[in-house]
Amino acid sequence: MAAEEEGIELAVVDVEEGLDAEAQKKVFEREIEDGADALIVQPVLDKNDQEVLKKIEKRVPVMLVGYEAEKGETRYDLPVIKEDNYEMGQALAEEMLKDFEGNIEEKKIGTSFKRTTDSNMLSSRECGFKDALEDKNANILELSLDSLLDREENTESKVDIVIALDDSNLTAIGEYLASSQPHGELLYGIGQSTEAIYYLDKGIAECVVVPDEFNVGYQSLSEVARKLDHYFENMKKQTVSYSVIRKETLFSKENQELLLTMSQ
């Protein structure tokens, strides 16, 4: 939508996972040689990738999308548009606490499942979640996704509350809970797919925190367009909002607008 409004030709290029900085550099260089006036890159995983992009930024504007820096990591001061992952983790914990009126000492909470390539994002969400429970004597178990799904064989993995910190975990766990014999687990998660919302609508998930990824895309391209029109202005770093959705609020006007952007 932003590309259409700004009159910009947009090309989406898939970059193979696991490429090192040098291989990614070749992809970026090829795009510039093919006429790209700017780059929007997601994700950037380590300081070597950032260093490459900082050099490329001297030739064309570069905007990062969704990048979460590790603590103590060298920063190259590249502009980034992302969700507030720490705050979303906190929000998820606060919603869970509401359902138990703050009393969760006797509940076993399972979190930290399948790690994605963007482990910095997950770590930030996990940190926010745990910090919100710091004085609640929460019993948090760090389990792999496989151990949770193997609950019939592994009694130690049985939990009362399941926390999914990204969409891939949320949908995988939602699918499993929908197709297996219920054990009474309550599912809370962060996700942005229509599948994640489906599990909320069916009552499998209690609450879903939804990052506004539409605005991540819209604002990143809008900011690049502004930079191309005013080359000596710096692009702004931005953090987009999120929504907390429950089944009873799923069909509110505000959430319907969000669901519409998710489905496109």
Side-chain angles (χ1 to χ4, degrees):
M1 184 181 290
E4 184 177 343
E5 291 178 1
E6 299 288 350
I8 287 179
E9 181 181 345
L10 176 66
V12 180
V13 180
D14 288 329
V15 179
E16 183 181 341
E17 287 190 18
L19 291 183
D20 60 22
E22 188 60 33
Q24 288 196 54
K25 179 182 178 182
K26 291 179 181 178
V27 175
F28 303 146
E29 293 283 0
R30 186 180 67 238
E31 291 305 307
I32 295 171
E33 289 172 5
D34 288 344
D37 298 303
L39 296 177
I40 299 174
V41 182
Q42 176 190 33
V44 176
L45 300 179
D46 60 38
K47 63 182 181 181
N48 293 327
D49 299 326
Q50 288 188 74
E51 191 173 3
V52 165
L53 286 172
K54 192 62 180 176
K55 292 177 180 177
I56 289 176
E57 189 188 36
K58 296 176 181 178
R59 298 165 58 191
V60 300
V62 175
M63 169 67 74
L64 305 187
V65 172
Y67 175 66
E68 187 79 39
E70 283 188 276
K71 289 182 179 179
E73 181 180 309
T74 301
R75 296 172 186 259
Y76 288 87
D77 200 31
L78 289 161
V80 59
I81 291 181
K82 67 180 185 67
E83 306 96 348
D84 190 328
N85 290 300
Y86 181 87
E87 192 172 306
M88 284 195 292
Q90 283 190 313
L92 191 63
E94 289 165 1
E95 290 300 314
M96 180 193 69
L97 287 171
K98 288 178 185 177
D99 291 344
F100 294 93
E101 297 180 342
N103 301 314
I104 57 167
E105 293 183 18
E106 297 181 2
K107 302 297 181 183
K108 291 174 68 177
I109 304 169
T111 186
S112 298
F113 302 110
K114 182 180 180 182
R115 292 285 175 181
T116 67
T117 53
D118 197 348
S119 59
N120 294 351
M121 174 197 74
L122 279 178
S123 295
S124 185
R125 292 177 179 181
E126 183 178 27
C127 187
F129 180 83
K130 289 182 176 179
D131 283 355
L133 303 178
E134 189 174 12
D135 61 348
K136 301 297 182 181
N137 295 321
N139 182 12
I140 301 175
L141 306 178
E142 296 193 1
L143 305 172
S144 68
L145 182 58
D146 289 340
S147 67
L148 175 74
L149 302 187
D150 248 354
R151 61 186 177 175
E152 296 291 352
E153 303 295 330
N154 184 2
T155 57
E156 292 182 1
S157 70
K158 292 182 179 179
V159 294
D160 303 300
I161 302 168
V162 183
I163 301 299
L165 295 172
D166 71 354
D167 194 80
S168 63
N169 283 308
L170 178 57
T171 54
I173 297 166
E175 180 181 13
Y176 176 73
L177 294 179
S179 61
S180 65
Q181 184 68 29
H183 284 218
E185 301 99 329
L186 300 178
L187 174 60
Y188 296 78
I190 299 174
Q192 66 277 356
S193 67
T194 53
E195 188 179 359
I197 298 303
Y198 167 81
Y199 294 122
L200 180 68
D201 188 33
K202 292 300 181 182
I204 296 165
E206 302 298 311
C207 172
V208 177
V209 175
V210 182
D212 188 355
E213 292 212 331
F214 176 86
N215 259 328
V216 170
Y218 187 91
Q219 295 296 341
S220 62
L221 197 135
S222 297
E223 196 65 18
V224 165
R226 188 182 65 83
K227 174 68 173 178
L228 291 173
D229 286 339
H230 305 88
Y231 196 82
F232 292 103
E233 290 186 16
N234 293 325
M235 288 191 286
K236 298 176 183 177
K237 298 181 180 182
Q238 298 182 44
T239 302
V240 299
S241 62
Y242 60 86
S243 299
V244 175
I245 303 181
R246 290 180 176 267
K247 184 174 181 178
E248 56 267 27
T249 63
L250 187 57
F251 297 105
S252 69
K253 181 180 178 181
E254 180 181 357
N255 287 336
Q256 283 296 292
E257 292 174 354
L258 176 63
L259 296 178
L260 180 62
T261 63
M262 289 170 61
S263 63
Q264 294 184 3

